[in-house]
Amino acid sequence: MEPSKSKSGLEFVAETLTDSSVTSSVRETGDISDIEAMSKTQRLVEWNVEVLSPLLQQIIASRGGIAAPRDQSLSRKEATIGTGETVLEEFVPIIPLKRFDADELRRRQDASSIDIGEEAKSQLRSYLTNVASMYQDNPFHSFEHASHVTASVKKLLTRIVSVDDGHGLRTSINEVDLGDMAGHSYGITSDPLTQFSVVFSAIIHDMDHPGVPNAQLVKEKTRNAQIYKKSVAEQNSVELAWGMLMGNEYKALRACIYHTEDDLRRFRQLVVNTVMATDIVDKELQALRKSRWETAFADAPTNQNSGISSDDCKATIVIEHLIQASDVSHTMQHWHIYKSWNQKFFMECYGAYKAGRAETDPSLNWYKGELGFFDFYVIPLAKKLDSCGVFGVSSHEYLSYAQNNRDEWARKGEHLVQEYLAKHEEINKQK
């Protein structure tokens, strides 16, 4: 059955940027006077600003409206966190999330009444502009891809965050049992810092991506490969994004994100784990995720004497699978979206081959490789989103699109590979 056609992430981005509320927001800053005159990158930056700003409001609301207390201990922690070990060494199997009970959620201030301040908003825009500038000009691993991933993350979070009153991403619902809501999502919905961290990670997860896989970087013995050994691109992205965020010019922005050492540590850990989850090639990490999924979502009850919260275990795993699905969300969207991004990825891989940065011509196995990717990664991943029970109709939609795209690729893929090759040759002739 053909799923109903829905907007892609970037179609949603484009539509959002034409909204009068966004137009007004942009013009009020004085930074951009005319949306129509904005470049694609500027428009994407502005859309990401509008995604993150409400989450900052919700973070501040969750701590009683406290925006910017600064103390020396927090400054010292900022200077040392993440130092002394690689990003991958910071990875933990389970992240302890902050818990809010139903009464706390009911008393929480309406986030829409929170003003994060012009300084913080300006710093957020500046930060995202700099993040965009640190994405290389790759056909696939670009800031456009990061924004596409972010749109998917936002959509999936919206589907599990089903509370209005300023507590979540959605803004329209009549009655909801807050206790049931928090439990249903294993605590993800009740903590806006968790939501912010996952969206933030989506935006920065491919910063400075070189357009070749980690294995090629290791083979070439690049500087980063010698430092990180594995998950090279992912660790580099975290280091770059975090180092920039810790700059003096982003103090007001950081004050909105966290105001205690515990919040800072949780934010850092969530970013590390979420970005590391986008490395789907590392066999050790993938085996660990598979084992934890089977343990957490097995029919047998979790061992309550382990000292590990069952909800924390499930939340960590759900977050990892959410970002993984979003990273390949083009495979779980309408056919024309899948085809467009598949061509971009082919161009990137084939370009690397022509540049001598890949041993094998990717066109030789692209057709069969995509079928295998659907069968052994995309469709099983979509089924996991469905079986974890927190994403509602979106998980059914993602699975349906994935299965339909797999069937369509089986019929048309061989011809499309030839079209991709012709397109690559045409582009090269124009240079």
Side-chain angles (χ1 to χ4, degrees):
M1 177 179 173
E2 174 73 12
S4 60
K5 183 174 180 179
S6 63
K7 296 182 179 64
S8 72
L10 289 179
E11 286 173 330
F12 174 73
V13 170
E15 181 181 274
T16 301
L17 282 173
T18 63
D19 288 350
S20 59
S21 59
V22 178
T23 306
S24 176
S25 174
V26 174
R27 286 173 176 163
E28 283 174 5
T29 65
D31 295 331
I32 305 169
S33 60
D34 188 356
I35 280 187
E36 296 303 320
M38 293 164 65
S39 67
K40 176 193 285 187
T41 298
Q42 287 175 317
R43 292 168 72 88
L44 291 173
V45 165
E46 196 57 38
W47 180 80
N48 282 292
V49 168
E50 295 304 318
V51 170
L52 288 179
S53 294
L55 289 172
L56 290 176
Q57 290 176 294
Q58 292 159 27
I59 290 172
I60 295 169
S62 72
R63 60 188 189 225
I66 302 171
R70 302 293 301 175
D71 57 56
Q72 289 302 312
S73 65
L74 187 56
S75 297
R76 287 192 295 270
K77 187 64 178 177
E78 286 177 332
T80 59
I81 192 168
T83 61
E85 56 185 349
T86 65
V87 173
L88 187 56
E89 288 170 335
E90 294 180 60
F91 172 87
V92 296
I94 300 172
I95 305 172
L97 298 186
K98 188 172 183 177
R99 301 294 168 186
F100 298 87
D101 61 33
D103 287 338
E104 288 177 295
L105 292 175
R106 289 188 184 95
R107 293 194 302 268
R108 186 175 291 179
Q109 184 176 351
D110 180 3
S112 65
S113 67
I114 299 290
D115 181 8
I116 68 172
E118 284 304 316
E119 184 179 19
K121 188 74 171 281
S122 176
Q123 289 181 12
L124 176 60
R125 181 173 288 107
S126 170
Y127 180 78
L128 292 174
T129 299
N130 286 329
V131 165
S133 72
M134 295 179 73
Y135 271 83
Q136 296 192 30
D137 188 21
N138 299 314
F140 185 88
H141 290 99
S142 61
F143 187 62
E144 184 177 2
H145 164 66
S147 299
H148 189 252
V149 174
T150 300
S152 174
V153 167
K154 179 180 183 291
K155 176 179 179 178
L156 289 174
L157 283 174
T158 300
R159 292 298 168 88
I160 62 174
V161 182
S162 58
V163 179
D164 68 344
D165 299 328
H167 302 316
L169 289 175
R170 286 184 63 178
T171 57
S172 59
I173 196 166
N174 296 324
E175 296 290 336
V176 67
D177 185 317
L178 295 179
D180 288 347
M181 178 279 296
H184 172 69
S185 67
Y186 314 119
I188 296 171
T189 55
S190 59
D191 181 19
L193 179 57
T194 296
Q195 299 165 43
F196 177 91
S197 302
V198 178
V199 175
F200 176 88
S201 298
I203 295 171
I204 61 101
H205 80 282
D206 275 331
M207 273 178 65
D208 195 38
H209 194 290
V212 295
N214 288 326
Q216 182 64 27
L217 300 177
V218 172
K219 180 183 177 182
E220 293 175 358
K221 298 180 180 179
T222 65
R223 180 178 177 276
N224 284 338
Q226 294 180 59
I227 294 172
Y228 301 122
K229 313 300 183 187
K230 56 193 300 187
S231 300
V232 178
E234 293 79 10
Q235 294 193 72
N236 182 53
S237 295
V238 173
E239 291 274 26
L240 291 175
W242 191 268
M244 185 165 64
L245 182 62
M246 292 299 111
N248 288 332
E249 64 271 37
Y250 299 117
K251 281 185 178 181
L253 174 57
R254 296 200 304 273
C256 290
I257 302 171
Y258 55 82
H259 76 142
T260 68
E261 288 191 26
D262 284 345
D263 288 345
L264 170 59
R265 280 191 292 267
R266 192 163 82 262
F267 174 49
R268 170 75 182 189
Q269 193 64 66
L270 282 161
V271 170
V272 167
N273 269 51
T274 304
V275 176
M276 289 302 101
T278 63
D279 183 359
I280 64 173
V281 177
D282 187 278
K283 293 181 179 179
E284 185 178 345
L285 287 176
Q286 281 294 78
L288 176 61
R289 293 184 194 108
K290 182 178 179 180
S291 174
R292 283 183 297 140
W293 178 278
E294 292 172 349
T295 299
F297 291 99
D299 292 334
T302 304
N303 182 1
Q304 297 300 318
N305 298 320
S306 65
I308 296 174
S309 165
S310 172
D311 278 357
D312 284 340
C313 181
K314 290 179 178 179
T316 302
I317 296 168
V318 167
I319 288 169
E320 289 176 350
H321 285 75
L322 182 155
I323 190 69
Q324 287 183 333
S326 295
D327 201 17
V328 296
S329 59
H330 63 285
T331 64
M332 308 180 200
Q333 294 172 340
H334 196 271
W335 167 253
H336 78 280
I337 300 300
Y338 163 69
K339 186 174 69 171
S340 174
W341 283 101
N342 183 254
Q343 178 178 288
K344 290 175 188 289
F345 191 37
F346 177 88
M347 293 298 184
E348 184 169 302
C349 294
Y350 192 72
Y353 167 70
K354 298 296 283 186
R357 301 191 74 186
E359 291 184 359
T360 306
D361 180 350
S363 68
L364 301 177
N365 195 49
W366 197 266
Y367 172 71
K368 290 182 178 179
E370 281 297 293
L371 291 176
F373 189 52
F374 274 112
D375 290 341
F376 299 109
Y377 183 75
V378 175
I379 291 175
L381 178 58
K383 288 180 177 178
K384 284 184 176 180
L385 292 183
D386 197 20
S387 66
C388 73
V390 301
F391 296 111
V393 68
S394 284
S395 56
H396 303 302
E397 178 186 298
Y398 275 39
L399 177 58
S400 183
Y401 273 122
Q403 292 169 332
N404 277 273
N405 285 337
R406 193 268 183 211
D407 292 344
E408 194 82 354
W409 178 260
R411 292 191 296 270
K412 300 178 179 178
E414 289 179 303
H415 177 70
L416 285 173
V417 173
Q418 297 307 309
E419 285 189 5
Y420 296 169
L421 286 168
K423 180 71 171 179
H424 186 275
E425 184 176 348
E426 179 186 344
I427 292 172
N428 275 351
K429 286 181 179 180
Q430 294 174 355
K431 289 183 178 178

